[in-house]
Amino acid sequence: MSELVPLPVVVPLLGAALTLLLDRWPRVQRTVSVVALGTNLVVALVLLTWAYRHGPVVTQVGGWPAPVGIVLVADQLAALMLVVSSAVTLCVLLYSIGQGRGETSESAPVSIYHPTYLVLTAGITNAFLAGDLFNLFVGFEILLAASFVLITLGGTESRIRTGSTYVVVSLLSSMLFLTAVGLVYAATGTLNLAQLATRLDALPPAVRLGLQLMLLLAFGVKAAVFPVSAWLPDSYPTAPAPVTAVFAGLLTKVGVYAIIRTETLLFPGGEVAGLLMVVAGLTMLVGVLGAVAQSDLKRLFSFTLVSHIGYMIFGVALSTTAALSGAIFYVVHHITIQTTLFLVAGLVEERAGSTDLRRLGGLARVAPLLAVLFFVPAMNLAGIPPFSGFLGKLGLLQAGVAVGGGLAWVLVVAGTVTSLLTLYAASRVWNIAFWRAPQIATAEPVTRLPNLMVGATAALVVLGLTLTVAAGPLFRVTADAAADLRQRTPYVRAVLPAGTP
């Protein structure tokens, strides 16, 4: 089974090279991209099934054994992230094909969308599978390099301006991450995550805390955690709809994944639990307050994206098995739902010519299917029973109540308030854009949306509903993954040969 572990990275890279060579044959290029991401989804499902039944699957790249060589590890957490990210990237790709994104044009004389999108996918999967800090850094840099191209696709003034902000922030966080990697190696003599789990405990507490805070800050920027989240609402809304959707669904979650992995495997003592709780609460409240003040659909969704990152950090801060299970469940839920909502925003823009709420209205009457595609994930995000958003929030709030203490109770209240304000923001969009009388849009609207765009969005809506129906089995997987994270032993034993210091 170990031969399958590199495929989620290798297949998109090979597909990227092939699609670049096939830029004169768009139909073949699209087929290669779909096959590559479809293969990733199948492989991810196989790896998740195996990891759940038998434990982590490990590949020593190049035959060099750990801790010397590069290690790719597919434990339950990594495999689950692979499954949901593969499903989302495939649906977004189909949506972009329906939109005509990636075709050769005067603004893009070479069809670079498909190669760049596949490279982005490879970076995401490499980050999830990385078994050492430097390879995790490489995964981040691969996906960031691709994202620099995608966020400025089309070369409009607004995209170049906001893309420049995104590039500067990303480079600064990468420099901080690389500095932290160098300091970790200087202090421990290794970057292998499994070996670090055994060596970091021997460091002086002050050194260990300093390394932990540096990594947290670097990952916090990438995850858009308050107060280092101001860049996101200005950067994401200007990109093309499928690009914004995959960024919102996955790029911030790679940062969250890195926080979960390092806080449980490398720094399990909970030294910064209080700090994480404060950050989680502020992220939730500041993000949702920003959302209710917005008059543009994409900016509103960008602020809700920031806000709901706070729920995941809340679970990491509590650090119990139930809390981590809830956090992992919520990551899966949020990847799916937030991506869906940004795709819906793209459909609204395609149908009405604008995402400015002041210029929208009557969409429920003229486009009832679009109204359903918005309503279901919006209520899911707000946490209305019995959707997966409600179940994930309930798991996290129950974990907070079980832990007790002043900060935990404050976070329980903040989480509840955030959910209610999210419902208010979603209801406001519904009332203005879908329910009230039609308004004048900024561009000539279309009368019929492309079937592939609608179908891809509907597939993600169905996936979100599937998370609700299959919440029981999914919670068993996340609980198992959380238990393994807290024990650390299954991961360390799978990676390191017996007797490795």
Side-chain angles (χ1 to χ4, degrees):
M1 194 59 62
S2 61
E3 290 81 3
L4 294 180
V5 179
L7 291 184
V9 181
V10 173
V11 170
L13 289 177
L14 291 177
L18 189 56
T19 53
L20 188 61
L21 295 174
L22 295 170
D23 69 284
R24 295 185 179 181
W25 296 276
R27 183 173 296 179
V28 180
Q29 196 181 48
R30 293 193 295 266
T31 302
V32 170
S33 299
V34 171
V35 170
L37 296 187
T39 302
N40 263 23
L41 179 57
V42 173
V43 172
L45 287 168
V46 173
L47 288 175
L48 177 59
T49 303
W50 184 273
Y52 179 70
R53 293 178 178 176
H54 305 287
V57 189
V58 180
T59 292
Q60 318 282 354
V61 178
W64 292 87
V68 177
I70 296 173
V71 180
L72 299 179
V73 185
D75 63 349
Q76 290 186 73
L77 174 61
L80 183 59
M81 294 299 101
L82 283 179
V83 170
V84 68
S85 65
S86 298
V88 164
T89 51
L90 178 58
C91 288
V92 173
L93 176 67
L94 294 174
Y95 180 100
S96 63
I97 291 173
Q99 192 183 41
R101 184 66 53 189
E103 304 294 341
T104 300
S105 64
E106 291 182 3
S107 60
V110 178
S111 185
I112 60 171
Y113 176 80
H114 289 277
T116 311
Y117 188 84
L118 290 174
V119 170
L120 178 81
T121 302
I124 292 170
T125 55
N126 185 73
F128 288 147
L129 293 170
D132 63 84
L133 277 181
F134 188 75
N135 197 30
L136 179 60
F137 171 78
V138 171
F140 272 114
E141 293 310 294
I142 292 173
L143 69 89
L144 287 176
S147 69
F148 296 161
V149 176
L150 292 174
I151 203 169
T152 56
L153 206 61
T156 63
E157 181 182 350
S158 60
R159 289 177 185 173
I160 296 296
R161 184 179 64 254
T162 57
S164 299
T165 302
Y166 175 78
V167 169
V168 170
V169 172
S170 298
L171 289 177
L172 287 175
S173 65
S174 294
M175 289 174 61
L176 182 61
F177 185 13
L178 187 59
T179 302
V181 168
L183 292 175
V184 167
Y185 186 78
T188 62
T190 185
L191 294 176
N192 182 276
L193 293 175
Q195 195 169 34
L196 284 173
T198 63
R199 290 191 179 184
L200 282 170
D201 292 338
L203 295 180
V207 175
R208 188 171 182 270
L209 180 61
L211 296 175
Q212 183 179 10
L213 290 175
M214 285 194 70
L215 288 172
L216 267 179
L217 181 57
F219 298 146
V221 174
K222 297 180 185 300
V225 174
F226 183 84
V228 287
S229 57
W231 59 271
L232 189 149
D234 289 330
S235 300
Y236 282 11
T238 60
V243 173
T244 305
V246 79
F247 281 19
L250 288 172
L251 296 202
T252 52
K253 306 313 180 301
V254 177
V256 173
Y257 168 84
I259 291 174
I260 294 174
R261 179 67 74 189
T262 54
E263 287 300 301
T264 55
L265 184 60
L266 306 186
F267 308 103
E271 290 89 347
V272 296
L275 173 63
L276 285 175
M277 286 190 187
V278 171
V279 167
L282 290 173
T283 302
M284 284 190 277
L285 293 175
V286 172
V288 79
L289 289 174
V292 299
Q294 299 307 308
S295 59
D296 182 85
L297 196 57
K298 288 183 179 180
R299 283 186 62 83
L300 187 151
F301 288 155
S302 296
F303 276 99
T304 61
L305 166 62
V306 171
S307 175
H308 286 246
I309 296 294
Y311 285 103
M312 307 164 206
I313 304 303
F314 179 29
V316 177
L318 294 175
S319 197
T320 63
T321 300
L324 287 172
S325 175
I328 297 168
F329 183 95
Y330 205 80
V331 170
V332 173
H333 150 81
H334 198 252
I335 289 173
T336 307
I337 300 305
Q338 198 72 56
T339 304
T340 307
L341 287 171
F342 273 101
L343 293 185
V344 170
L347 291 177
V348 169
E349 188 172 29
E350 190 86 8
R351 180 65 179 81
S354 175
T355 56
D356 190 337
L357 294 177
R358 294 166 295 189
R359 296 179 174 271
L360 296 175
L363 288 175
R365 181 176 62 83
V366 299
L369 178 57
L370 178 57
V372 173
L373 294 178
F374 166 79
F375 184 82
V376 174
M379 294 300 102
N380 202 335
L381 183 71
I384 299 300
F387 292 122
S388 58
F390 167 77
L391 299 174
K393 291 183 178 74
L394 182 63
L396 287 167
L397 297 182
Q398 286 179 332
V401 171
V403 169
L407 273 178
W409 276 105
V410 169
L411 264 293
V412 169
V413 173
T416 305
V417 171
T418 300
S419 187
L420 293 173
L421 289 176
T422 303
L423 177 60
Y424 168 75
S427 301
R428 180 168 164 265
V429 172
W430 174 262
N431 289 332
I432 295 175
F434 291 89
W435 203 247
R436 73 172 179 176
Q439 305 295 302
I440 299 174
T442 58
E444 185 68 25
V446 299
T447 57
R448 181 178 175 84
L449 293 168
N451 291 334
L452 198 52
M453 292 176 68
V454 175
T457 308
L460 281 181
V461 172
V462 171
L463 179 58
L465 293 175
T466 303
L467 296 181
T468 301
V469 175
L474 181 56
F475 261 119
R476 284 195 291 273
V477 174
T478 61
D480 237 26
D484 286 351
L485 288 173
R486 294 199 70 217
Q487 291 174 8
R488 301 197 296 171
T489 306
Y491 188 98
V492 174
R493 286 181 176 172
V495 174
L496 292 179
T500 304

